[in-house]
Amino acid sequence: QVQLVESGGGLVQPGGSLRLSCAGSGFTIKNYAMAWYRQGPGKERELVALIASAGGVINYADSVRGRFTISRDNAKQVVYLQMNSLKPEDTAVYYCSAVDIPSMRNVYRGQGTQVTVSS
């Protein structure tokens, strides 16, 4: 059974940090680019960060560049999103996906983890 399971979300104060993890099973993540998306309340889903299958090419949304870092450990089947200097507008459900390149079709997607940035 294919699964992507996100963890690490929670409540954090503005300026704080969180590290999200996404564990894949039932398929080999090294065969896919992996991405983090988010959807805030009343907002469209947004691509936050994308990392190529071997980790060599990375893209970020302008809103998070310089604050967030995506990485992957293919041997452990895990993708990470390190989030620093968090802002209230980063509040959202964060999802990880296995992505087909170049179509950007989400082949597999997790259930998401809630991140709330509030004082």
Side-chain angles (χ1 to χ4, degrees):
Q1 180 183 1
V2 170
Q3 280 192 308
L4 285 170
V5 179
E6 301 93 339
S7 61
L11 173 64
V12 63
Q13 292 187 342
S17 297
L18 282 175
R19 189 194 198 200
L20 305 183
S21 299
C22 170
S25 60
F27 74 107
T28 303
I29 73 164
K30 72 178 181 180
N31 293 334
Y32 295 91
M34 297 296 293
W36 285 96
Y37 291 82
R38 68 184 180 186
Q39 188 163 17
K43 297 182 180 180
E44 296 287 322
R45 193 173 74 133
E46 175 187 22
L47 175 62
V48 175
L50 176 74
I51 185 167
S53 57
V57 177
I58 296 173
N59 287 307
Y60 296 98
D62 289 343
S63 56
V64 307
R65 187 174 290 112
R67 299 188 297 122
F68 290 12
T69 303
I70 188 171
S71 61
R72 63 192 296 162
D73 186 332
N74 287 339
K76 295 182 178 179
Q77 293 268 113
V78 181
V79 182
Y80 303 100
L81 186 67
Q82 177 67 43
M83 306 186 295
N84 299 328
S85 303
L86 282 160
K87 305 175 181 180
E89 51 264 43
D90 294 319
T91 295
V93 178
Y94 285 72
Y95 304 89
C96 74
S97 294
V99 179
D100 175 73
I101 300 295
S103 70
M104 291 301 294
R105 180 175 66 93
N106 283 197
V107 180
Y108 306 117
R109 195 179 91 165
Q111 293 298 306
T113 185
Q114 175 71 46
V115 172
T116 302
V117 184
S118 175
S119 54

